Amino acid sequence: MEKLIITAAICGAEVTKEHNPAVPYTVKEIGDEAQRAYNAGASIIHLHVREDNGKSTQSIERFRECIDEIKSRCPNVIIQPSTGGAVGMSNEERLQPIYLNPEMATLDCGTCNFGGDDIFVNSENTIKEFAIKMKQIDIKPEIEVFDKGMIDTAIRLFKKGYINDNMHFNFVMGVNGGINASCRDLLFLKESIPYNATFTVAGIGRYEFEMAALSTLLGGHVRVGFEDNVYISKGILAKSNGQLVEKAVEISKVLGREVASCDEARKILKLKG
């Protein structure tokens, strides 16, 4: 079995310091949390950025500042900007970080209810627009999957030439309005992707480490971090993203799977480097 890639989703767009005081907002805080995650074993930093007051932004300049800060501390880490942004942002806002030419960026492949009145909208034309622009710049998309139909959409767009082969998926499991976080449903998603695709699993909230263990056993990869979960165990807030990564590393050790370095992750994902 290939080595395990650990992604750290260090701040997200919605979680706040009210949820956990260690959630990073400022450029320095984002750099600190990325470094803690990297030192603990993460080879990919999944990146949203915030204004100093915590407001989510897709500003290219804010992304540039944060990426420069992370790279000054962790020169070899893979930085994966989000093009999801926050609910309600325009396509133009959401796409800004791809013009910094990252190795990877996220590509959401469907619309999802996020609870209450929040709807994360990704029309077919939006998905095509994002996929075309990433392909033009030679950015590998991480295909974000909240339900099985999003896999079908990605495969259909691959067949039409919008997405390159050797696709990489992120199964986000346990979101309101999305697929459940269960062994049955993870097996269903895994069996639905092409034979030469890779996948990561992000379990939301209390499902984070349960799904990390299942993905590790099934040959997938793992995402942890404050975007998805702010607790290290029931009722106990995590001190940092690094602590969450450390727990994922411990799970991998117990299950007998080595953790990938940044360069090993690039090879597994067939990144341009």
Side-chain angles (χ1 to χ4, degrees), residues 83 105-109 126-127 130-131 134 141-145 163:
T83 67
T106 60
L107 175 63
D108 295 279
C109 275
T126 290
I127 299 164
F130 283 33
M134 289 185 200
E142 179 184 80
I143 298 161
E144 306 302 306
V145 169
I163 300 171

Side-chain angles (χ1 to χ4, degrees), residues 137-155:
I137 304 173
D138 196 19
I139 295 170
K140 177 153 188 165
E142 179 184 80
I143 298 161
E144 306 302 306
V145 169
F146 295 85
D147 223 332
K148 196 268 185 179
M150 298 185 190
I151 294 175
D152 299 333
T153 295
I155 292 172

Side-chain angles (χ1 to χ4, degrees), residues 6-76:
I6 299 177
T7 298
I10 60 174
C11 67
E14 310 294 341
V15 68
T16 69
K17 289 184 183 292
E18 283 68 39
H19 297 110
N20 185 324
V23 171
Y25 292 170
T26 69
V27 173
K28 181 182 182 301
E29 287 172 346
I30 285 173
D32 288 341
E33 283 302 301
Q35 186 171 15
R36 291 183 183 112
Y38 171 77
N39 289 345
S43 54
I44 300 176
I45 302 297
H46 171 71
L47 187 63
H48 289 256
V49 297
R50 307 289 193 89
E51 301 293 354
D52 287 353
N53 63 5
K55 183 181 178 181
S56 181
T57 178
Q58 288 292 103
S59 160
I60 190 169
E61 290 307 320
R62 190 65 165 188
F63 265 102
R64 191 193 313 276
E65 288 181 283
C66 290
I67 289 171
D68 287 348
E69 180 72 14
I70 294 168
K71 287 291 189 180
S72 73
R73 298 158 177 256
C74 318
N76 201 33

Side-chain angles (χ1 to χ4, degrees), residues 8 11 69 93 108 116 133 142 150 172 178 187 202 208 239 251:
C11 67
E69 180 72 14
E93 285 179 279
D108 295 279
K133 289 183 177 178
E142 179 184 80
M150 298 185 190
V172 185
L187 286 169
E208 183 165 78
K239 296 176 182 178
I251 290 169

